[in-house]
Amino acid sequence: MTIKDTAEAWEVRASETPFVGNKTSVRTDEVVMPDGSVVRRDYQVHPGSVAVLAVDDQDRVLVIRQYRHPVREKLWEIPAGLLDVPGENPLHAAQRELYEEAHVKAEEWRVLTDVYTTPGGCDEAVRIFLARDLSEAEGRRFEVEDEEADMELARVPLDELVRGVLAGELHNNCLVVGVLSLVAARSGDGVESLRAAEAAWPARPFEN
């Protein structure tokens, strides 16, 4: 048996959008189950996101600390952001987020992994990139606002982040998945075996 996620779409008898927010919305679908019954499923509709595990030449990961109101905590995270335009090239979005949040650029990019953050209640898909060969970006720093105005920036050794993840001290989804994926890649076929930066992404199709 091949262990691989596959595309499938069950019949939807009706659909409505009871809430539309600034960046996301909530949809209610009436879905036909295998036994013929129809049930209602509420979920958040999300444009998709990118995240960047940026690693410098001292094996430190660039992380940010930001307040997240839904969980009432300041979380250590990796740079991340929304796909601003449908069909946007995720690599371009990731490069933009790394510049805006850390004023850093990277010469080497790979796809680290693709994930659905909470597929039971949200259709958000995230592509996590590995960025290496870092340097300070040129030009003016991006103007931050709201929660980002209080953001902290640090470079933390990868081993320390792994310890924090396994100790239950770090909880951001993209940081956890990114850090452990990098460790797995290094212990397996190596970082050079990772997918190219512009590899196809069926969850959020784009044009190069």
Side-chain angles (χ1 to χ4, degrees):
M1 182 175 62
T2 301
I3 304 300
K4 181 179 179 180
D5 296 337
T6 56
E8 186 168 340
W10 292 3
E11 180 185 354
V12 176
R13 291 279 175 85
S15 183
E16 61 183 61
T17 306
F19 171 79
V20 177
N22 183 36
K23 299 177 180 178
T24 65
S25 60
V26 173
R27 182 178 297 162
T28 299
D29 289 343
E30 295 184 2
V31 186
V32 180
M33 297 288 106
D35 64 359
S37 62
V38 178
V39 301
R40 292 169 65 88
R41 291 290 179 260
D42 305 315
Y43 59 99
Q44 183 183 20
V45 179
H46 194 285
S49 307
V50 292
V52 184
L53 191 78
V55 183
D56 68 15
D57 57 6
Q58 298 179 51
D59 213 33
R60 299 176 303 176
V61 177
L62 195 156
V63 291
I64 57 178
R65 188 171 182 240
Q66 185 173 349
Y67 176 66
R68 293 301 188 183
H69 185 70
V71 295
R72 306 301 198 273
E73 288 188 24
K74 273 192 170 182
L75 301 181
W76 284 104
E77 308 179 350
I78 57 177
L82 300 177
L83 294 170
D84 287 343
V85 180
E88 180 179 15
N89 187 315
L91 174 60
H92 298 167
Q95 291 169 333
R96 179 184 66 241
E97 293 301 329
L98 186 60
Y99 170 79
E100 291 182 356
E101 295 192 350
H103 202 65
V104 165
K105 65 178 182 178
E107 299 301 324
E108 296 183 34
W109 292 82
R110 294 270 183 171
V111 174
L112 191 51
T113 191
D114 301 323
V115 295
Y116 291 118
T117 53
T118 48
C122 178
D123 70 352
E124 180 183 14
V126 181
R127 168 156 282 188
I128 303 176
F129 289 90
L130 172 64
R132 297 180 295 169
D133 194 0
L134 309 183
S135 62
E136 289 296 313
E138 299 176 354
R140 185 176 177 182
R141 284 188 172 271
F142 182 75
E143 295 290 334
V144 296
E145 58 184 9
D146 301 329
E147 289 93 341
E148 292 183 350
D150 187 51
M151 200 163 57
E152 301 172 48
L153 183 65
R155 296 193 182 203
V156 179
L158 178 65
D159 289 347
E160 185 175 333
L161 294 177
V162 171
R163 184 206 61 77
V165 168
L166 299 180
E169 298 168 356
L170 300 170
H171 307 93
N172 174 260
N173 181 290
C174 292
L175 183 148
V176 171
V177 173
V179 163
L180 298 185
S181 293
L182 177 57
V183 172
R186 287 179 172 179
S187 65
D189 294 331
V191 170
E192 301 309 319
S193 69
L194 293 170
R195 287 171 290 163
E198 296 194 279
W201 189 16
R204 292 294 185 273
F206 64 94
E207 293 185 7
N208 291 335

